[in-house]
């Protein structure tokens, strides 16, 4: 007897993760029914997706875009604003929410889904970075599952399955290193937006691509892994692996290493999160190790990539500091992309904003949201008065 399809809501359906998720749905049509899609502003693309996949509900966070969507919706119901996201994930019959919204906007709907006992496939880093304790508490109370979608955390999840915690010595997150890891003599003054966005392996959004170039993405992934797998920060390491074939590794107490390998395609991690614990043939490309020939590994240069240390410092401080790091980084990356801040200004703004913050050690959710609001204002001041692009002093 064939199991009923899983009812899926996709938050961030027009981003790279959302589009890849819909490709997974297309490859496994008997496994899924898409109940809802959510976007920030790309309402035309969201409505096109809704018609193609016969989705009855679309939530559009931006009110003006939501009004445009409602006027062109046809038979699709359109929800508006942050409240629309919450209503979308609370639809009766929802089995899983794929959270792929960049930034803090993803936190409330993820919490709502978990509180309702709905499983969450999580691609939004900020959710665990800024509110890991609150998110994990909501998951424990409801019994909902939280399944990782980042390729690194998916790899660790697959290596750890069924293994007791005392068998694990450390987690090793692999990193492509972005476009600059293989350029040790690079002058940060010469880094342009186009160069920072030119990722050698992955096709990602602009913000995530810049985070990869600064390696802030790896810092955020360290913070995520701590919550997802309950491992102390000093047992989570980062290793450069430019081929992006080994997606992460687990070192066991006897010294053995377990690794998960696949070609660089996010559909592997997305499909496993959506179909877990099954392994299904979604027509994904196989890995030809003989053709690859060699894989390379090295340690990142902490002096060249200070965002790694800043993220660890925020995680160690705890409280509201992770929210401050995250917010300041978002503001600084936005300023860099707009040409108002040099590349090295990104980590200077983050460091200065963290230094100015009076941390609250045991915050509730409103405290975290207030820290986020404060940090954005403080970071904008620093980014707005920073050294003009092209005049960087080279960093920390």
């Amino acid at each position: 007897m064939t199991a009923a399809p899983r009812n899926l809501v996709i938050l961030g359906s027009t981003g790279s993760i959302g589009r890849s998720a819909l490709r997974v749905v297309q490859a496994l049509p008997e496994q899924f029914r898409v109940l809802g899609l959510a976007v920030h502003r790309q309402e035309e693309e969201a409505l096109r997706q809704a018609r193609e996949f016969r989705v009855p509900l679309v939530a559009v966070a931006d009110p003006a875009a939501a009004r445009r969507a409602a006027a062109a919706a046809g038979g699709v119901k359109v929800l508006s604003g942050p409240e629309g996201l919450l209503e979308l994930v609370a639809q009766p019959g929802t089995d899983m929410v794929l959270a792929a919204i960049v930034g803090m906007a993803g936190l409330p709907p993820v919490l709502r889904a978990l509180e309702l006992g709905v499983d969450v496939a999580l691609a939004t880093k900020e959710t665990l970075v800024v509110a890991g304790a609150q998110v994990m508490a909501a998951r424990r109370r409801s019994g909902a599952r939280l399944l990782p979608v980042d390729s690194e955390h998916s790899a660790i999840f697959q290596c750890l399955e069924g293994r007791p915690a005392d068998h694990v010595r450390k987690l090793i997150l692999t990193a492509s290193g972005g476009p600059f890891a293989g350029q040790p003599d690079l002058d940060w003054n010469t880094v342009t937006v186009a160069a920072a966005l030119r990722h050698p392996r992955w096709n990602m959004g602009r913000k995530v691509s810049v985070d990869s170039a600064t390696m802030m993405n790896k810092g955020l992934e360290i913070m995520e892994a701590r919550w997802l797998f309950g491992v102390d920060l000093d047992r989570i390491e980062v290793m450069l692996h430019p081929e992006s074939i080994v997606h992460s590794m687990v070192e066991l107490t006897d010294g053995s290493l377990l690794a998960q390998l696949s070609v660089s395609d996010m559909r592997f991690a997305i499909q496993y999160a959506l179909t877990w614990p099954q392994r299904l043939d979604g027509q994904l490309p196989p890995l030809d190790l003989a053709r690859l020939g060699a894989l390379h590994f090295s340690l990142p240069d902490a002096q060249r990539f200070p965002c790694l240390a800043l993220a660890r410092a925020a995680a160690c401080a705890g409280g509201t500091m992770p929210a401050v790091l995250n917010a300041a980084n978002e503001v600084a990356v936005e300023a860099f992309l707009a040409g108002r801040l040099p590349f090295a200004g990104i980590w200077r703004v983050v460091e200065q904003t963290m230094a100015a913050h009076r941390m609250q050690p045991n915050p509730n959710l409103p405290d975290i949201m207030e820290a986020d609001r404060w940090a954005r204002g403080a970071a904008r001041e620093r980014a707005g008065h920073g050294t003009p692009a092209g005049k960087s002093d080279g960093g920390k």
Side-chain angles (χ1 to χ4, degrees):
M1 183 175 177
T2 304
R6 302 193 80 187
N7 290 324
L8 181 64
V9 166
I10 301 176
L11 308 181
S13 66
T14 58
S16 61
I17 297 293
R19 292 195 304 270
S20 292
L22 287 171
R23 290 177 68 192
V24 169
V25 170
Q26 198 168 42
L28 298 168
E30 296 180 357
Q31 299 295 320
F32 304 105
R33 174 177 175 240
V34 184
L35 282 187
L37 304 172
V39 297
H40 181 52
R41 284 198 187 95
Q42 292 181 282
E43 77 281 356
E44 290 183 6
E45 175 64 10
L47 289 176
R48 187 200 65 75
Q49 291 174 338
R51 294 182 185 110
E52 179 180 354
F53 289 89
R54 299 180 181 179
V55 181
L57 279 172
V58 169
V60 183
D62 180 76
R67 288 191 293 272
R68 293 193 297 269
V76 179
K77 181 179 178 181
V78 176
L79 306 174
S80 176
E83 300 79 10
L85 292 179
L86 298 179
E87 184 177 345
L88 186 68
V89 301
Q91 289 303 304
T94 301
D95 296 311
M96 175 172 280
V97 171
L98 171 63
I101 296 176
V102 175
M104 287 288 283
L107 176 57
V110 166
L111 281 173
R112 173 64 65 85
L114 292 174
E115 288 164 356
L116 293 172
V118 175
D119 293 346
V120 172
L122 186 65
T124 303
K125 287 181 169 61
E126 295 83 0
T127 299
L128 284 176
V129 167
V130 307
Q134 289 78 8
V135 170
M136 299 310 288
R139 185 201 64 77
R140 285 192 297 271
R141 285 193 298 267
S142 70
R145 287 181 283 260
L146 188 63
L147 298 160
V149 167
D150 271 353
S151 60
E152 296 82 1
H153 299 106
S154 175
I156 290 171
F157 176 69
Q158 293 178 61
C159 291
L160 285 176
E161 276 190 295
R163 300 184 184 279
D166 61 1
H167 284 194
V168 177
R169 181 177 291 165
K170 62 183 175 183
L171 310 180
I172 303 169
L173 297 166
T174 55
S176 70
F180 306 134
Q183 302 179 47
D185 299 323
L186 176 69
D187 179 359
W188 294 129
N189 295 310
T190 67
V191 172
T192 64
V193 170
L197 295 177
R198 202 174 296 126
H199 196 281
R201 294 289 173 184
W202 298 99
N203 178 22
M204 305 180 293
R206 285 162 64 85
K207 193 267 182 183
V208 179
S209 295
V210 175
D211 280 350
S212 179
T214 64
M215 289 197 69
M216 179 63 89
N217 69 325
K218 251 357 96 167
L220 299 177
E221 287 169 15
I222 290 170
M223 300 164 83
E224 282 186 279
R226 169 200 194 181
W227 293 110
L228 281 170
F229 307 116
V231 173
D232 294 338
L233 291 166
D234 60 2
R235 292 166 57 206
I236 305 173
E237 296 184 359
V238 171
M239 187 170 289
L240 294 178
H241 170 51
E243 292 85 5
S244 295
I245 295 297
V246 175
H247 295 294
S248 278
M249 296 175 276
V250 173
E251 182 178 324
L252 302 179
T253 49
D254 63 1
S256 298
L257 276 178
L258 301 181
Q260 186 266 331
L261 289 74
S262 71
V263 299
S264 302
D265 189 324
M266 280 303 301
R267 286 178 295 166
F268 283 93
I270 293 167
Q271 179 176 306
Y272 194 60
L274 298 185
T275 62
W276 181 86
Q278 298 182 79
R279 295 277 185 180
L280 301 178
D281 182 3
Q283 302 300 307
L284 295 175
L287 179 61
D288 187 344
L289 286 175
R291 185 176 179 182
L292 271 173
L295 301 174
H296 300 86
F297 302 91
S298 62
L299 295 175
D301 184 342
Q303 296 299 314
R304 295 185 64 237
F305 296 101
C307 287
L308 284 170
L310 290 172
R312 282 193 183 274
C316 289
T320 49
M321 195 61 80
V324 169
L325 169 121
N326 177 72
N329 180 63
E330 285 190 18
V331 169
V333 169
E334 181 183 345
F336 167 70
L337 289 170
R340 299 193 304 271
L341 193 69
F343 186 72
I346 295 172
W347 53 80
R348 286 203 306 272
V349 166
V350 173
E351 183 176 38
Q352 292 165 5
T353 306
M354 288 172 63
H357 179 56
R358 185 176 297 176
M359 189 196 68
Q360 190 161 338
N362 297 299
N364 55 28
L365 197 56
D367 295 330
I368 291 170
M369 301 303 287
E370 173 57 24
D372 174 86
R373 185 202 64 78
W374 173 87
R376 289 177 191 277
R380 286 190 188 101
E381 281 188 29
R382 288 160 175 80
H385 294 90
T387 309
K391 302 289 186 180
S392 167
D393 64 6
K396 221 175 156 183

